[in-house]
Amino acid sequence: MRLLRTMMLHKVQLLAVLAFGLAVLFIENQIQKIDESREILEQTIARHEVAEVEQRHAEAGGQVTSSLSEADNVVVIYNRVPKTGSTSFTNLAYDLCGKNGFHVLHINTSKNNPVLSLQDQVRFVHNVTSWREMKPAFYHGHVVYLDFSKYGVKGKPTYINVVRDPVERLVSYYYFLRFGDDYRPGLRRRKQGDKKTFDECVATGGPDCAPEKLWLQIPFFCGHHSECWNVGSRWALEKAKANLLSEYLLVGLTEELEDFVMILEAVLPRFFKGATQLYRTGKKSHLRKTTEKKPPAQDTISKLQQSDVWKMENEFYLFAQDQFQFVRAHAVREKDGKLSVLPQSFFYEKIYPKVS
Ligand SMILES: *[C@@H]1O[C@H](CO)[C@@H](O)[C@H](O)[C@H]1NC(C)=O
Ligand SMILES: *[C@@H]1O[C@H](CO)[C@@H](O)[C@H](O)[C@H]1NC(C)=O
């Protein structure tokens, strides 16, 4: 009996040990499972974090590519004055835009009015500034200077222009209205059929050759202020000079267009790479000549030169000439009768703190 009880007890103990062992095994198994899940969870979290970092990088990178680089964001505005030989220069831009990868846009204003209404000024400034698909862009047209900084946009365009001797410009315009040019020979001109020469016009005091008609390059550089159009205004002359210096990257002369092109190529290669070569080889095709132009007689010129308007327009022209020749003297060198632009002649040194 006793033996039997002991055997039973042994059995119970054995069972208990067995159960305990099983329980331990089960718990270990569960712990391992938890460990595995934790590992999976950690891996998932890590993967998620990596993805997040990568996404942030991609976003930052995307921002760099979607916001245009400095050179590709440039807008050049050439607010050309009529009859300054500007078509020759504009055609260069059309010939280069495909190869150099920029857009050229003509600003066509109704009735060729060079002054924009206030609402058009706002439209134009906002459109030019935000129109990414067109950048880099070269805009040209007979529009007077417009100061972008007062319309609440970031950044300013790069203005360039060309000026011409005021009497020659007026003579050219006079004949252009009567005979057109070899550029669009079929087009009917406003004063077509009028055979009167410029000399005859000045002698008889006609309106198309009146000294007031000289007042054009000053208002083009002066801009959208009432006083700019006040013929003979000293304030307008000073404003035009100040704008020429501070708001224009470069103002060339009709009489020295090749040098203008050469310096522009050095200053704005993103647009004008290859322009000098093209201008030299294709000189004829880029020239636009007013047909039937008779040079004015000396006393015609003298008569115009007596007017205050001529004196001021001429002062502005000489001012532009001085400035252009100053720029050229510092930008170009002559060697064996050939002009070339100077290479970079500054460098940095003594850069601190040293990078190790
Ligand atoms: C400007 O647009 C008008 C109307 O479409 C057109 O007749 C004129 O020829 C354009 N001007 C120039 C210079 O192309
Ligand atoms: C700018 O104006 C043109 C012509 O009106 C238009 O097609 C273009 O969508 C405008 N761009 C912007 C960014 O407003």
Side-chain angles (χ1 to χ4, degrees):
M1 196 57 203
R2 222 193 126 103
L3 187 74
L4 198 78
R5 213 185 285 151
T6 337
M7 270 177 69
M8 282 282 281
L9 236 161
H10 272 272
K11 242 191 196 157
V12 168
Q13 276 176 338
L14 203 71
L15 273 171
V17 166
L18 218 78
F20 180 73
L22 275 171
V24 164
L25 269 175
F26 177 76
I27 289 168
E28 267 189 357
N29 190 316
Q30 287 301 309
I31 289 174
Q32 202 178 341
K33 270 196 188 147
I34 289 172
D35 271 350
E36 276 171 14
S37 336
R38 204 189 54 207
E39 213 166 294
I40 289 169
L41 186 68
E42 276 174 358
Q43 278 172 1
T44 312
I45 288 172
R47 237 181 287 134
H48 185 73
E49 276 175 353
V50 167
E52 219 174 38
V53 168
E54 275 172 354
Q55 193 182 344
R56 248 179 279 139
H57 274 245
E59 274 169 6
Q63 249 164 30
V64 168
T65 42
S66 61
S67 84
L68 300 166
S69 76
E70 201 83 34
D72 288 342
N73 202 24
V74 173
V75 169
V76 175
I77 298 183
Y78 172 33
N79 64 319
R80 33 198 293 218
V81 184
K83 306 319 290 174
T84 51
S86 48
T87 304
S88 331
F89 173 64
T90 310
N91 283 349
L92 277 180
Y94 279 107
D95 289 347
L96 289 168
C97 66
K99 203 172 87 201
N100 291 350
F102 63 92
H103 295 92
V104 185
L105 301 93
H106 176 227
I107 312 160
N108 183 331
T109 60
S110 40
K111 296 188 195 131
N112 259 338
N113 188 350
V115 176
L116 299 177
S117 67
L118 187 59
Q119 60 271 32
D120 272 349
Q121 294 172 35
V122 172
R123 281 186 194 114
F124 179 70
V125 168
H126 283 269
N127 185 258
V128 165
T129 308
S130 58
W131 204 359
R132 283 158 154 259
E133 293 78 18
M134 284 297 142
K135 290 180 184 175
F138 180 90
Y139 290 82
H140 65 96
H142 299 311
V143 184
V144 304
Y145 171 74
L146 189 61
D147 178 8
F148 273 50
S149 65
K150 70 178 204 184
Y151 303 91
V153 293
K154 252 196 271 168
K156 276 184 174 191
T158 299
Y159 272 98
I160 57 169
N161 218 329
V162 173
V163 293
R164 184 177 191 180
D165 175 274
V167 173
E168 281 177 22
R169 195 204 65 76
L170 183 60
V171 171
S172 178
Y173 188 61
Y174 179 89
Y175 286 112
F176 174 72
L177 288 183
R178 283 155 182 78
F179 301 101
D181 56 20
D182 56 5
Y183 190 66
R184 291 194 289 179
L187 202 65
R188 208 184 146 73
R189 300 293 173 180
R190 193 140 51 86
K191 295 291 170 88
Q192 201 155 312
D194 177 9
K195 293 274 189 305
K196 208 190 285 171
T197 66
F198 189 77
D199 288 337
E200 286 163 0
C201 176
V202 170
T204 57
D208 282 350
C209 55
E212 295 73 54
K213 289 281 152 72
L214 291 166
W215 192 256
L216 199 65
Q217 297 192 125
I218 288 173
F220 257 77
F221 280 79
C222 177
H224 282 80
H225 309 293
S226 167
E227 186 64 13
C228 297
W229 298 89
N230 194 354
V231 177
S233 160
R234 174 67 33 196
W235 182 88
L237 169 61
E238 296 308 329
K239 181 74 180 164
K241 285 182 183 175
N243 282 346
L244 183 142
L245 294 184
S246 62
E247 305 301 324
Y248 283 79
L249 178 65
L250 186 66
V251 177
L253 311 168
T254 305
E255 296 79 5
E256 291 162 31
L257 213 49
E258 185 171 322
D259 294 1
F260 173 69
V261 170
M262 190 167 63
I263 298 171
L264 215 49
E265 178 174 349
V267 175
L268 289 173
R270 180 68 185 76
F271 290 80
F272 295 106
K273 194 170 185 297
T276 312
Q277 176 68 17
L278 194 63
Y279 186 78
R280 282 179 184 151
T281 55
K283 235 177 193 168
K284 269 209 198 86
S285 66
H286 287 112
L287 269 188
R288 172 182 181 180
K289 278 217 158 59
T290 303
T291 30
E292 295 267 1
K293 193 167 105 189
K294 183 175 172 284
Q298 190 49 53
D299 50 318
T300 301
I301 297 173
S302 306
K303 203 167 170 185
L304 280 174
Q305 288 178 345
Q306 280 158 23
S307 68
D308 284 340
V309 179
W310 176 82
K311 283 175 188 145
M312 293 175 104
E313 275 284 342
N314 196 55
E315 183 179 331
F316 179 66
Y317 172 70
L318 294 179
F319 183 84
Q321 190 178 50
D322 259 3
Q323 178 58 23
F324 179 70
Q325 283 165 358
F326 178 84
V327 169
R328 182 175 54 192
H330 287 89
V332 167
R333 90 175 133 212
E334 196 178 340
K335 208 179 159 202
D336 309 323
K338 268 191 78 180
L339 291 178
S340 59
V341 289
L342 290 163
Q344 180 168 326
S345 60
F346 72 89
F347 65 95
Y348 304 108
E349 58 178 13
K350 297 171 186 163
I351 304 167
Y352 281 84
K354 295 281 185 205
V355 268
S356 49

